[in-house]
Amino acid sequence: YVVKKDGRREAFSKEKIRKGIQYACLKRPVSLAQIEHVVNKVCQFALETTKKEVYAKDIGQVIMQELKK
């Protein structure tokens, strides 16, 4: 699950992450392969945590680190 800023919990969605990154990179020179790489890194991060819940803030930080690369 993903814990939102307001405390709500949602099921982790790879597709939701992909759509968000695609929208953020809409007018930027980022290829679909690069976006998919970021999505895979986020999924890997979520799977590697020992907790059943991941904070949305932590997911956002991973996304920003990967996009900066």
Side-chain angles (χ1 to χ4, degrees):
Y1 283 97
V2 177
V3 181
K4 299 290 196 162
K5 190 176 186 178
D6 63 0
R8 290 181 296 124
R9 286 163 171 71
E10 286 186 7
F12 182 83
S13 171
K14 185 176 181 177
E15 189 59 34
K16 187 172 181 180
I17 292 171
R18 182 181 294 114
K19 285 182 182 180
I21 294 171
Q22 284 176 334
Y23 183 75
C25 298
L26 194 61
K27 294 185 179 186
R28 291 177 175 80
V30 180
S31 70
L32 289 176
Q34 291 170 315
I35 291 172
E36 196 61 35
H37 175 75
V38 174
V39 171
N40 289 333
K41 286 288 190 176
V42 171
C43 291
Q44 180 181 357
F45 165 77
L47 289 173
E48 288 177 351
T49 61
T50 57
K51 303 173 190 173
K52 291 184 179 180
E53 297 179 332
V54 180
Y55 288 96
K57 180 180 177 181
D58 295 336
I59 291 174
Q61 288 176 346
V62 171
I63 291 171
M64 291 305 295
Q65 287 173 354
E66 290 300 317
L67 287 176
K68 284 180 184 178
K69 289 179 185 178

